[in-house]
Amino acid sequence: MIGVILAAGMGTRLRPVTDNIPKALLEINDMTLLERMIKNCIDAGMKKFIVLVGYKKETVEEICPKIAEKYDIDITILENEKYDVTNTSVSTYIASKYIEENDKDDFILVNGDNVVDPEIISRLAKTKNTGMIVDNFKELNEESFKLIIANESFNDDNTIANGKIEDIGKGLDIPSSTGEFIGVSKVVSDDLVQFNRILEDKIDEDPQNYYDFAYKDLSETTIIDYVLTNGLKWTEIDDHTDWENAQLLVEELENK
């Protein structure tokens, strides 16, 4: 299984701390977000990684060999040259197409600005099918990337019984939403070709599309495991408030 980490974005809402580095290289307790996420993936059994770069790519290209040597892992760096005019669908497609053409392995996809409880990655790695981590505890708001799963029912293993995604996005009705997609997902090798075709369509439709929307279409034709956080904590880092919350979360996780 390959860990794919998206680290191409500019992080404009975090300036000035992202003036010279992408969000993935922000440090908490002397460790970058990138290394912290890679370590989480290593703990879940991964030894191969793809890091998508764009904004200030040279800073990531410099640190990745050091991380690879430290943990005895393999890191491939791929570039989204149009990082400033595209969105995560393009970066994801670059990685996913590379995997289709070279490795044909399952992969776990993570946004580079996420801090998560390591157990979240481990739970997803153990699933049989393509999967998504869904927060069923956090209070939803207008900024939450919500999803509605049709005919949902709950299993005993922290998952929602297989169901199609009725809708996904920020603008959904909160009471009708199943929960929030946290930006951590998995694509199994059997779904790679279809996933890439969907991404191609999304990119043709709008290069600013998020990869998240591809899972709605994919759920029409394949089984998706919706893995619940059930209170496990995480945060994405979009602005300075998020950055403060991430630092508090790391302190909490390190003291568990």
Side-chain angles (χ1 to χ4, degrees):
M1 187 180 299
I2 301 172
V4 176
I5 301 175
L6 305 183
M10 293 183 285
T12 54
R13 284 187 281 172
L14 274 166
R15 288 176 176 166
V17 295
T18 52
D19 279 348
N20 299 307
I21 57 171
K23 286 190 285 185
L25 294 192
L26 293 175
E27 291 190 6
I28 303 176
N29 292 354
D30 298 319
M31 182 178 290
T32 64
L33 300 181
L34 176 63
E35 181 177 348
R36 191 174 300 278
M37 186 58 71
I38 286 176
K39 187 174 182 300
N40 290 345
C41 292
I42 291 171
D43 292 343
M46 279 163 268
K47 297 284 287 182
K48 296 172 64 176
F49 293 86
I50 293 174
V51 177
L52 260 294
V53 300
Y55 175 68
K56 301 295 181 182
K57 66 175 183 177
E58 65 281 354
T59 60
V60 183
E61 291 170 340
E62 180 180 355
I63 199 171
C64 278
K66 299 174 184 177
I67 296 174
E69 182 178 5
K70 179 178 179 179
Y71 294 101
D72 190 24
I73 56 174
D74 178 69
I75 300 178
T76 298
I77 297 174
L78 300 178
E79 181 182 1
N80 178 0
E81 296 179 353
K82 298 181 179 180
Y83 69 88
D84 55 340
V85 292
T86 62
N87 214 318
T88 57
S89 60
V90 173
S91 290
T92 300
Y93 177 73
I94 291 170
S96 187
K97 192 65 177 177
Y98 177 90
I99 293 170
E100 180 190 335
E101 293 174 348
N102 294 275
D103 301 280
K104 295 182 174 63
D105 288 333
D106 300 352
F107 69 89
I108 283 183
L109 176 66
V110 184
N111 294 333
D113 59 355
N114 277 15
V115 173
V116 304
D117 187 312
E119 178 62 20
I120 287 175
I121 305 295
S122 295
R123 286 184 183 178
L124 184 61
K126 293 174 184 175
T127 60
K128 177 182 178 182
N129 304 302
T130 290
M132 304 171 72
I133 298 289
V134 178
D135 190 330
N136 59 322
F137 264 55
K138 184 178 176 182
E139 185 175 347
L140 300 174
N141 57 47
E142 291 182 357
E143 284 299 306
S144 304
F145 207 92
K146 299 172 281 292
L147 74 168
I148 298 172
I149 300 172
N151 303 317
E152 66 183 35
S153 61
F154 299 90
N155 296 323
D156 296 330
D157 61 349
N158 301 309
T159 64
I160 294 175
N162 305 321
K164 294 179 181 178
I165 299 175
E166 187 175 303
D167 209 349
I168 187 169
K170 291 184 177 182
L172 304 188
D173 175 62
I174 290 176
S176 303
S177 298
T178 304
E180 178 175 8
F181 173 50
I182 76 167
V184 179
S185 54
K186 173 183 176 181
V187 177
V188 297
S189 57
D190 286 348
D191 293 335
L192 261 175
V193 173
Q194 181 65 8
F195 185 66
N196 285 335
R197 285 175 182 166
I198 294 170
L199 283 174
E200 288 170 356
D201 290 341
K202 297 298 179 188
I203 293 166
D204 287 343
E205 177 185 300
D206 182 1
Q208 288 286 348
N209 258 325
Y210 294 99
Y211 72 82
D212 316 48
F213 295 114
Y215 288 110
K216 180 178 184 295
D217 293 351
L218 192 62
S219 75
E220 297 286 335
T221 59
T222 193
I223 295 173
I224 293 182
D225 293 325
Y226 306 97
V227 183
L228 304 175
T229 58
N230 280 342
L232 293 177
K233 294 186 178 180
W234 67 281
T235 188
E236 62 181 350
I237 304 170
D238 288 329
D239 54 34
H240 290 278
T241 299
D242 294 337
W243 176 227
E244 293 173 4
N245 291 337
Q247 294 174 72
L248 293 173
L249 177 56
V250 167
E251 292 290 343
E252 181 178 342
L253 293 174
E254 290 184 347
N255 290 323
K256 282 181 68 173

